[in-house]
Amino acid sequence: MGKKQETSPESSEYGEPAQFDPTFKGPMKKRGCTDIICLILFMAVILGYIVVGILAWLYGDPRHVLYPRNSTGWFCGIGPNKDQPNLFYMNILKCATSVNVMASALNGLQCPTTQVCVAQCPSTFWAVGIDMYFKKPAEVFNQSVCVPSLNLSNTILTVQQIVDKELCPYFYIPTVSVLGRCLPDLSSLGNIPSSFSNIPGLPTSVNETVGMIQNGTGDIVNGFNAKEIGVRIFEDFASSWPWILLGLLIAMVVSLLFLLLLRFTAPVMVWVLIIGVLGAGAYGIWHCYWEYANYKSASATITNVGFTTNLQVYLQVQETWLAFLIIISVVEAILLLTIIFLRTRILIAIALIQESSKAIGHMMSALVYPLVTFVLLLVCVAYWGATALYLATSGSPIYRVVALNSSQGDCSSISGNVSCDPQNFTAADYPGCPSASCIFIKYNNEGLFQRNLFNLQIYNVVAFLWCVNFVIALGHCTLAGAFASYYWAFTKPGDIPMFPVCGGFIRALRYHVGSLAFGALILTLVQIARILLEYIDQKTRAAQNPVARFILCCMKCCLWCLEKFIKFLNRNAYIMIAIYGKNFCVSAKNAFKLLMRNIIRVVVLDKVTDILLFFGKLLVVGGVGVLSFFFFSGRIRLPGNVFRSETLNYYWMPIITVVFGSYLIAHGFFSVYNMCVDTLFLCFLEDLERNDGSLQKPYFMSKNLMKILNKSNKAQKKGKGKE
């Protein structure tokens, strides 16, 4: 009773400490399904997500994006035009005056001019001169860039009629293939022949022609013309991929060794970092005093200097260094006192980190589980991307009758609102307007399915975020169950169950999908709120005043903090779910109260672990990155010319790949380690509250932890002592 009265004043605000349970031997075996309502909701959302994907697949056609489409509605590069992968625009100047249409990739980069599929994009300057209008069409035009229905050798049309109907181009310039479209080669525009100023239909000034083309198509060409660079990068990967894989393998080995060696090096690393921080502070104090003494004879003071934007002036004032000296001394004193008073908790954090290395050493399969999480996340991302693409291309193309050259004939009857079929259209239906043509306008958005495309895209994003957060939650719960079974094994490794990771995974899927979905849903709602706030900020940025920007910034900061807090709470709730099998709310409440009863230990452990893992990632990524730089830049050469850096076009691409891959590998390994530390920490806190070291209630913690806390078990079986 006395012991209970002693602890109750401390713990009354955050609940009573956990009570001893003689039947508790680690993760509960007897448990039931939790948060069934959220499970049903999650399953309904998944089924709806599948239905959305099926509808998108039925109505969508990614070929609208992947392949260009000519004026008759056929795709270039497939089907009848298999050998003609490029789309040629008869009058590129009309594209230059339709920037909004041209810039829309989902609209196929269409523009109001006749388009034909060609095998090769034109690479020279050519135009129909005034003297050519009296020649035969076969002597003037190139059949490969004319509409397929026109046979130049048998046509009865004149050159003028062909030009007016846009059956063949009356000029073209050097072009390059950009996303399968023949767009101007901007580097050649400075070489336009002066004779182009005399071509009917073109501006009288060559500079005006150049300006129109550059303004209309320059951004597209510069933004998407990466074919040559892409080919070179592909060549670099093709010649260096074995060495990239070797670099990633080295990153994996270094990450694994670092985690396992923390068992022996954690105390040294932590105290070296602490001493380094204190040493840096001591040097700062000495340097400030030295500067203060140097400017002792100076006559300048803060009052004399006043306010100035030249900060260098303040460094020449004695009072500045005195202020720095006082501030650094106070901070140094606070750090020193904090370390002195928290030395026991720092030792506990180090011991838990060492214990985590032991746990990973006993269940190496835990290090493989991030691959499962990665594969599941890859499936989520791929499904989301495919669904978004199919939804974006789900409307059938709409064609309208337009006048390509309204100055020829009477085209006033053509309003641009009449639909047409490009494969069956004939200009003879409009005898007064010889330039009448059937042109692609947009994709259909008038059907029930098409009108709700935006809502379906929102559903796609929400379901994607929920699925991603659920996959991460499943990984946390699985690893927590495995590491909890390690801690609550009284004799290690004898009492550790077989296949603890598989056991944790099966328990999470069988009983706790609803609870994991509940936690994932809460996090998803916060992330959606952040996305909406960012969207509002982007849309209203031009109209914002300083007060509005300040309010939006504060709101974004608050939501960011809320997301971090929910991730922290969810993580610990999943640990309690894995151990006790309770629902999400009860688990989150118990975890929060347990942590609040030990808040100082939580802060110390969190910061010590963060510092160690930060330096671990820095070691892995920095070390492998430097090694790859020296190797791929040619500073390290292999004997026998096995690999030469001179064969690479851009040696920095393999380096970036290795660095990025090393970070992902290190993050995957260290996330397992971080989960292990958090799980063992919660188990350790529960162990302290449940047990007292007696024969009936022995501690499950390691001897090292008991030694730090001056605790011990009264009796243990011989030969089965703790590690």
Side-chain angles (χ1 to χ4, degrees):
M1 291 294 293
K3 187 174 182 179
K4 185 175 181 180
Q5 291 174 357
E6 179 183 345
T7 57
S8 60
E10 300 178 13
S11 57
S12 59
E13 185 179 355
Y14 299 109
E16 296 293 330
Q19 301 299 315
F20 173 71
D21 182 2
T23 63
F24 180 73
K25 302 296 181 183
M28 303 296 292
K29 299 294 187 295
K30 295 182 179 180
R31 56 179 74 198
C33 294
T34 55
D35 294 304
I36 297 177
I37 295 178
C38 197
L39 168 64
I40 296 173
L41 178 61
F42 184 61
M43 291 295 102
V45 170
I46 294 298
L47 289 176
Y49 202 16
I50 294 173
V51 171
V52 171
I54 293 174
L55 290 175
W57 181 76
L58 291 176
Y59 287 95
D61 189 357
R63 293 182 303 175
H64 296 328
V65 177
L66 300 177
Y67 301 100
R69 186 193 288 262
N70 65 13
S71 296
T72 59
W74 294 102
F75 291 106
C76 300
I78 58 175
N81 298 315
K82 182 179 180 180
D83 298 328
Q84 298 171 312
N86 301 302
L87 185 69
F88 173 71
Y89 301 94
M90 292 283 186
N91 189 345
I92 197 67
L93 293 181
K94 291 185 178 180
C95 299
T97 57
S98 305
V99 180
N100 291 333
V101 179
M102 284 290 292
S104 176
L106 291 179
N107 278 354
L109 294 178
Q110 301 285 342
C111 62
T113 185
T114 303
Q115 298 138 44
V116 296
C117 298
V118 296
Q120 298 290 335
C121 293
S123 58
T124 58
F125 289 99
W126 178 86
V128 178
I130 297 177
D131 57 326
M132 296 182 182
Y133 281 89
F134 305 101
K135 295 182 179 180
K136 294 181 179 180
E139 298 176 357
V140 176
F141 300 107
N142 185 345
Q143 181 69 60
S144 64
V145 293
C146 296
V147 296
S149 60
L150 176 66
N151 189 336
L152 292 176
S153 59
N154 297 328
T155 183
I156 60 174
L157 299 175
T158 64
V159 172
Q160 182 68 56
Q161 291 173 326
I162 291 176
V163 170
D164 292 340
K165 294 176 179 290
E166 271 198 10
L167 301 178
C168 293
Y170 70 92
F171 84 100
Y172 53 73
I173 62 176
T175 57
V176 291
S177 179
V178 180
L179 299 178
R181 282 83 176 174
C182 296
L183 296 181
D185 182 2
L186 299 182
S187 62
S188 65
L189 291 182
N191 300 322
I192 292 182
S194 57
S195 59
F196 266 49
S197 59
N198 299 322
I199 301 299
L202 291 179
T204 56
S205 169
V206 172
N207 292 333
E208 185 179 351
T209 304
V210 173
M212 291 178 63
I213 295 174
Q214 286 181 333
N215 293 336
T217 61
D219 292 339
I220 299 175
V221 175
N222 292 332
F224 292 102
N225 189 18
K227 181 177 179 180
E228 183 178 357
I229 297 177
V231 169
R232 291 181 179 179
I233 292 175
F234 179 80
E235 292 174 351
D236 291 343
F237 281 121
S239 62
S240 62
W241 68 265
W243 307 106
I244 293 176
L245 292 180
L246 179 61
L248 298 179
L249 180 63
I250 293 174
M252 184 176 67
V253 172
V254 173
S255 299
L256 179 60
L257 288 177
F258 180 83
L259 295 182
L260 295 179
L261 289 177
L262 279 179
R263 177 176 176 179
F264 309 103
T265 61
V268 177
M269 293 181 64
V270 171
W271 289 115
V272 166
L273 290 173
I274 291 174
I275 294 172
V277 171
L278 293 176
Y283 171 77
I285 293 173
W286 174 84
H287 183 79
C288 290
Y289 178 78
W290 181 74
E291 294 283 359
Y292 173 78
N294 285 343
Y295 290 106
K296 196 170 184 179
S297 58
S299 59
T301 62
I302 293 293
T303 305
N304 296 336
V305 172
F307 177 78
T308 177
T309 56
N310 186 5
L311 300 181
Q312 191 67 28
V313 175
Y314 292 110
L315 297 180
Q316 300 174 2
V317 178
Q318 186 184 30
E319 295 173 2
T320 302
W321 293 104
L322 178 61
F324 286 161
L325 177 62
I326 295 173
I327 293 172
I328 297 177
S329 299
V330 171
V331 172
E332 182 82 352
I334 292 174
L335 287 176
L336 186 59
L337 292 174
T338 301
I339 292 170
I340 292 174
F341 285 109
L342 297 181
R343 63 188 183 279
T344 302
R345 291 179 172 85
I346 294 175
L347 292 174
I348 293 174
I350 294 173
L352 282 170
I353 290 171
Q354 291 176 302
E355 193 68 14
S356 299
S357 294
K358 290 182 184 179
I360 291 176
H362 286 304
M363 48 182 72
M364 298 293 289
S365 59
L367 295 174
V368 181
Y369 187 82
L371 291 178
V372 178
T373 301
F374 175 76
V375 171
L376 293 176
L377 291 177
L378 193 62
V379 170
C380 293
V381 172
Y383 187 83
W384 166 78
T387 303
L389 178 61
Y390 274 87
L391 285 174
T393 59
S394 60
S396 58
I398 295 177
Y399 292 84
R400 308 279 189 187
V401 179
V402 297
L404 297 177
N405 191 349
S406 57
S407 62
Q408 297 290 332
D410 182 12
C411 300
S412 58
S413 60
I414 299 178
S415 61
N417 296 322
V418 179
S419 300
C420 58
D421 182 358
Q423 298 181 21
N424 300 319
F425 177 81
T426 57
D429 296 334
Y430 300 89
C433 185
S435 64
S437 182
C438 187
I439 296 296
F440 169 84
I441 299 297
K442 63 177 181 178
Y443 290 107
N444 180 30
N445 58 358
E446 298 174 357
L448 176 63
F449 180 76
Q450 284 74 25
R451 287 199 304 268
N452 290 280
L453 284 180
F454 181 73
N455 297 331
L456 293 176
Q457 289 285 20
I458 293 177
Y459 185 91
N460 185 27
V461 172
V462 173
F464 166 71
L465 291 175
W466 197 358
C467 289
V468 166
N469 289 325
F470 173 80
V471 169
I472 295 173
L474 178 62
H476 288 165
C477 193
T478 298
L479 294 175
F483 293 127
S485 65
Y486 166 84
Y487 185 93
W488 296 110
F490 190 76
T491 56
K492 304 175 180 65
D495 291 343
I496 300 176
M498 293 289 291
F499 308 113
V501 177
C502 292
F505 182 74
I506 293 172
R507 283 195 301 272
L509 279 183
R510 183 178 178 183
Y511 299 109
H512 306 302
V513 171
S515 297
L516 301 180
F518 191 6
L521 176 60
I522 296 173
L523 182 59
T524 300
L525 293 177
V526 177
Q527 290 172 340
I528 292 172
R530 290 191 65 193
I531 293 173
L532 290 176
L533 192 62
E534 191 66 36
Y535 176 79
I536 293 172
D537 184 25
Q538 293 295 329
K539 288 296 183 180
T540 61
R541 180 158 294 181
Q544 290 174 10
N545 55 33
V547 176
R549 283 194 294 270
F550 175 76
I551 294 174
L552 282 172
C553 183
C554 291
M555 292 175 66
K556 286 197 273 187
C557 181
C558 290
L559 285 177
W560 180 83
C561 293
L562 179 60
E563 182 180 356
K564 292 296 180 183
F565 173 75
I566 289 178
K567 284 183 178 180
F568 172 78
L569 187 62
N570 283 2
R571 186 184 185 89
N572 290 282
Y574 299 145
I575 296 174
M576 301 300 278
I577 290 172
I579 299 175
Y580 298 105
K582 301 292 181 65
N583 62 49
F584 177 81
C585 292
V586 172
S587 300
K589 180 188 70 174
N590 292 340
F592 180 74
K593 289 183 176 181
L594 179 62
L595 293 173
M596 291 304 296
R597 292 197 295 268
N598 301 270
I599 186 62
I600 296 180
R601 285 174 177 163
V602 173
V603 174
V604 173
L605 177 76
D606 187 59
K607 295 310 172 188
V608 170
T609 305
D610 286 347
I611 290 174
L612 281 181
L613 295 185
F614 170 76
F615 277 95
K617 288 183 181 179
L618 194 64
L619 173 66
V620 174
V621 177
V624 176
V626 170
L627 179 63
S628 63
F629 170 77
F630 280 102
F631 178 74
F632 289 112
S633 63
R635 290 169 173 81
I636 298 178
R637 292 187 175 273
L638 296 176
N641 288 329
V642 178
F643 175 82
R644 293 184 299 109
S645 61
E646 292 82 1
T647 60
L648 298 177
N649 298 294
Y650 309 105
Y651 70 84
W652 43 266
M653 280 306 299
I655 297 175
I656 293 176
T657 304
V658 171
V659 170
F660 183 70
S662 299
Y663 174 79
L664 292 180
I665 291 172
H667 180 74
F669 277 100
F670 289 15
S671 64
V672 174
Y673 189 85
N674 205 4
M675 196 67 203
C676 183
V677 173
D678 290 346
T679 303
L680 297 187
F681 180 56
L682 283 184
C683 293
F684 164 73
L685 298 179
E686 288 265 348
D687 193 10
L688 282 177
E689 293 185 350
R690 286 179 176 276
N691 306 309
D692 58 9
S694 64
L695 185 61
Q696 293 79 17
K697 299 188 289 185
Y699 290 117
F700 285 78
M701 68 185 74
S702 65
K703 283 185 176 180
N704 192 17
L705 281 168
M706 286 191 283
K707 181 179 179 181
I708 294 171
L709 296 172
N710 292 322
K711 296 180 182 295
S712 63
N713 285 332
K714 297 298 186 294
Q716 293 181 357
K717 294 181 181 181
K718 293 184 179 180
K720 291 187 178 181
K722 292 183 172 303
E723 293 184 3

